Each structure stands twice: as C-alpha cells, then as structure tokens.
Amino acid sequence: MDFKSIIRDIPDFPQKGIIFRDITPLLANPQGITEIVRGFKTKFAELNIGTIDAIIGIESRGFIIGAPLAMALGCSFVPVRKPKKLPSAVFRVEYALEYGTDTLEMHCDAIAAGKRVIIIDDVIATGGTAAATAKLISQCGAELAGYGFLIELDFLNGRKALPEVPIVSLVNY
Ligand code: AMP
C-alpha cells in the first residue's frame, strides 16, 4: 500500500508554516490499519528485535496504531497519557516545547522492571515527545527495545534526540 498517496497534507494546521500529516484517510481505508501493522511487524522482524513484552502508545494517535500492533504481536498495550487522565499512581515527565512545556504520564504499575518495550506514535517531528516517553520507561525500569513511527519528518532530525535503539518509520518526508 502506498501510504504517502493516502495520507493527506493539510497546510498551515494547527499553525502557519506547519504541514499537518493527516492519517485519518489511511485509517478510513479498510486495509489501512492492517497494512500499518504489517509494515511494523515486517520491519521489526528484519531488525531481529527479539521478544517484545509491551507496546507503549503515546496519546492519542499512538493508541490507534499501537493497540492493533500489540494484538498482532500478542503482547501488552500501555497508554502514555496527557496529565490527569490516569486514575492510579503515575510516573510523570515534563519536557520542553517551542513555547512552554508539556507533560506525559504512565501508570507506575503498567510495566514490570526488565520488560522489553517498543514506543509507538504516528509522527516523529522534533523527537521531544518520544524522548520524554523513553524517560518514563526508564523510571519504571523497563528496557526500551525500539521505536516505531508511521511517519518520520527527516528534515527535523528528531531521531537525534532519541536514545540509541532501533527506530522504524514507515513513511518519510
Ligand atoms: P515532536 O515531539 O516534535 O516529535 O512531535 C510529535 C508529536 O506531534 C506527535 O505526537 C505528532 O502526533 C505531532 N505532530 C508533530 N508534527 C506533526 C505534523 N507535521 N503532522 C501531524 N502531527 C504532527
């Protein structure tokens, strides 16, 4: 499936100068999620990444692609959420944005120490969100085995902000 021809480009959203990569037409395609999951499975298998205990999905589009990937791999799914959404005790990480800061949270008991996990999101731009999520993984003592992004914006060099683990992206701009 040619993902790029189905992903829709929305200029100047949410602010002027940004081209928003809208994945909703791809999700709407009856084969879309199946092909995304197949793409990740194939690339992670090629990398010999080993057994994965959990997929960590970043709110909110990371949930949409992370949950079916967890199902396909037969492993757990763990949501990383915006603040004050999770009801039990959380690990919290604050990270810098262009203006101000943002916060992500994960339940403290979501993954046991030593478990091997992959972090999934729809887009890596500057890498700030994905790097912050890696800090949550180290807070709980799990092992980060890799990252998976449906879309990587190469010109922003976001992967430079990430720990040195395998990074899979299915579409590059
Ligand atoms: P960053 O922390 O800069 O890597 O930004 C990643 C987050 O912002 C992801 O969760 C994306 O969903 C979202 N994002 C950033 N840039 C775009 C874009 N051009 N199109 C769609 N989503 C984006």
Side-chain angles (χ1 to χ4, degrees):
M1 178 178 281
D2 180 6
F3 292 142
K4 225 178 207 177
S5 68
I6 303 174
I7 293 165
R8 179 166 56 177
D9 297 344
I10 313 278
D12 299 321
F13 183 88
Q15 60 195 64
K16 212 169 167 45
I18 303 285
I19 302 174
F20 191 86
R21 308 296 178 177
D22 177 19
I23 66 166
T24 60
L26 179 54
L27 300 175
N29 184 301
Q31 290 307 312
I33 293 176
T34 303
E35 291 298 323
I36 293 166
V37 168
R38 194 202 307 273
F40 280 128
K41 266 192 88 171
T42 305
K43 288 207 173 192
F44 283 123
E46 282 167 6
L47 286 169
N48 276 323
I49 204 156
T51 306
I52 298 303
D53 301 301
I55 294 293
I56 313 297
I58 304 176
E59 185 166 352
S60 57
R61 280 163 290 176
F63 299 171
I64 300 170
I65 53 183
L69 179 59
M71 189 175 159
L73 296 177
C75 70
S76 309
F77 176 79
V78 174
V80 163
R81 300 215 60 181
K82 310 250 166 78
K84 301 199 170 118
K85 301 278 189 188
L86 291 170
S88 190
V90 294
F91 291 122
R92 179 175 297 124
V93 65
E94 205 175 88
Y95 61 103
L97 299 174
E98 196 176 350
Y99 303 102
T101 62
D102 222 335
T103 303
L104 290 172
E105 295 181 344
M106 186 179 74
H107 271 150
C108 295
D109 60 359
I111 330 162
K115 297 289 185 189
R116 287 167 51 77
V117 307
I118 291 176
I119 295 173
I120 294 285
D121 203 0
D122 66 330
V123 176
I124 176 168
T126 65
T129 309
T133 304
K135 292 191 180 143
L136 290 174
I137 302 308
S138 53
Q139 282 184 63
C140 67
E143 184 191 337
L144 181 59
Y147 281 101
F149 304 102
L150 175 53
I151 296 168
E152 179 170 5
L153 306 180
D154 295 340
F155 55 94
L156 290 173
N157 235 328
R159 58 170 63 215
K160 277 206 157 166
L162 305 184
E164 284 203 16
V165 294
I167 301 166
V168 161
S169 47
L170 303 185
V171 188
N172 296 76
Y173 290 89

